[in-house]
Amino acid sequence: ARLIPICFAMKLTSISTLLIFSLTMSGNIIEEIWLNKENVELAYEKANRTNVKENIELLLKMLEEAEFNQEWINEYKQDMINYLKEKHKTNNLFPVQFAQDILLVLKQIDNKEENLKRVLSIKCFGDSKYFERNIEHVLIRIIKTYLLENAEEYSNDDILLEVGISKYPEIFEFCGDMEYYIDDEKIEYKKETMGSYLNSYNVEKMTNLTIKNVRKILFIENKANYIDYIQNKQESDEFVIYHGGMYSPIKGKFFKKIYEACENQEFYHWSDIDIGGFRIFTRLKKIIPELQEYKMDTEAFFSKREYWKEMNQDYRKRLQQLRELSDYENFYEVIDAMLENNSKLEQEAFIL
């Protein structure tokens, strides 16, 4: 036992209702000290802390009263409720010091609208950098757990874009003839050598979108391939769209409006021949059910064997897991070839 001089014991008399202590045989040394469990509430008050039980009850009330529309957020909410009830404590997906802030941000992104990161931070917390300092890393963990499992291929910016949080207003790039209206004003685009640009703010406002004189619509993941394609390979009856990595909710709305504006056109997507590319294709297919892969088959894979990149064991394991999912049946054959040759292929190889 730790021994404490009796002189210190004199200082304990003012809080003797909180503590119980025993003395050594000599009577002038404190041998052991215990918290008086009958006065736990007073101990929390003296320490200027909230009772754990009260904290849990407050957190449960906050969670139960929070209302969300998106399925993954509601799944997170229910898991945190269950965890609090079973474990009587929080975890790293719902840290007590930021619990209210996390629910506030989740409510903000639940509307699936574009949120500029620092504007979101000011709106929620009155501080443009508070979100980045305190909430961003927790939100990314939540997204990776409930919305984007196995998101190792994606940057933090891409992960936040998935829920509509961006650093700046998004600029969408495409090449081809298109027109739409905002209010009564007609806005027209013609095929340009370096493509055209559209601010994300216009997507919500646009009506009567029309894609003209087009047989084929092609989405391209990587910027270098997009630029090379529209400069050197695009046919006159093609409409080409720069996809990028994970598309945000507002970019998804743009893609959906393009799809709904078309009738008999064929839709294709071109990505890396790897896990990230397969996932991007599969996600886009939820908007465009007729979507077909472009240069993502075994023929394309073997045509650039000199640029193959070796896969490690962890990557192979995750690729094998995709092979078991019906959503990825378009890629079963090329996945088998990748596993057999222990290789993947980046899209940029097709520029060479």
Side-chain angles (χ1 to χ4, degrees), residues 273 297-306 308 337-338 340-341 345:
I273 301 179
D297 57 8
T298 53
E299 181 180 351
F301 179 64
F302 283 110
S303 73
K304 296 291 182 178
R305 64 170 65 238
E306 66 270 32
W308 284 352
M338 293 168 68
E340 183 178 346
N341 293 277
L345 181 63

Side-chain angles (χ1 to χ4, degrees), residues 237-298:
D237 60 353
E238 290 182 327
F239 189 89
V240 183
I241 303 166
Y242 170 56
H243 184 289
M246 300 303 297
Y247 63 76
S248 64
I250 191 68
K251 185 180 272 191
K253 289 181 181 180
F254 177 51
F255 292 166
K256 187 174 183 181
K257 287 189 175 187
I258 288 174
Y259 174 62
E260 291 174 345
C262 298
E263 294 182 357
N264 301 312
Q265 290 87 345
E266 295 180 341
F267 287 86
Y268 292 87
H269 177 76
W270 184 17
S271 265
D272 298 326
I273 301 179
D274 64 8
I275 292 175
F278 299 154
R279 283 182 173 154
I280 290 170
F281 175 92
T282 302
R283 186 161 179 256
L284 184 58
K285 204 170 191 296
K286 293 177 181 178
I287 296 176
I288 306 170
E290 301 90 349
L291 188 66
Q292 303 175 62
E293 65 275 15
Y294 178 80
K295 291 189 177 181
M296 296 180 71
D297 57 8
T298 53

Side-chain angles (χ1 to χ4, degrees), residues 146-292:
Y146 290 92
L147 186 62
L148 285 178
E149 295 183 22
N150 300 315
E152 291 82 359
E153 290 80 21
Y154 307 128
S155 69
N156 286 346
D157 286 343
D158 280 340
I159 290 170
L160 291 175
L161 265 180
E162 173 79 12
V163 296
I165 298 176
S166 59
K167 291 181 178 179
Y168 314 105
E170 289 189 81
I171 302 297
F172 305 146
E173 300 181 47
F174 57 92
C175 189
D177 294 351
M178 181 178 81
E179 67 178 45
Y180 60 87
Y181 286 82
I182 292 182
D183 298 326
D184 294 326
E185 182 182 358
K186 181 179 179 181
I187 300 171
E188 242 181 319
Y189 292 89
K190 297 294 184 182
K191 183 179 179 299
E192 302 287 344
T193 304
M194 292 300 294
S196 301
Y197 302 85
L198 169 68
N199 190 294
S200 59
Y201 288 156
N202 284 347
V203 172
E204 294 284 8
K205 302 175 183 177
M206 65 170 54
T207 59
N208 301 319
L209 176 66
T210 304
I211 306 293
K212 293 185 172 182
N213 308 314
V214 170
R215 170 188 60 84
K216 171 183 173 182
I217 296 176
L218 174 64
F219 295 85
I220 299 178
E221 176 190 352
N222 293 308
K223 177 66 78 68
N225 292 78
Y226 167 75
I227 296 298
D228 177 70
Y229 193 93
I230 63 175
Q231 286 185 330
N232 304 310
K233 303 179 180 70
Q234 185 176 1
E235 301 290 339
S236 60
D237 60 353
E238 290 182 327
F239 189 89
V240 183
I241 303 166
Y242 170 56
H243 184 289
M246 300 303 297
Y247 63 76
S248 64
I250 191 68
K251 185 180 272 191
K253 289 181 181 180
F254 177 51
F255 292 166
K256 187 174 183 181
K257 287 189 175 187
I258 288 174
Y259 174 62
E260 291 174 345
C262 298
E263 294 182 357
N264 301 312
Q265 290 87 345
E266 295 180 341
F267 287 86
Y268 292 87
H269 177 76
W270 184 17
S271 265
D272 298 326
I273 301 179
D274 64 8
I275 292 175
F278 299 154
R279 283 182 173 154
I280 290 170
F281 175 92
T282 302
R283 186 161 179 256
L284 184 58
K285 204 170 191 296
K286 293 177 181 178
I287 296 176
I288 306 170
E290 301 90 349
L291 188 66
Q292 303 175 62

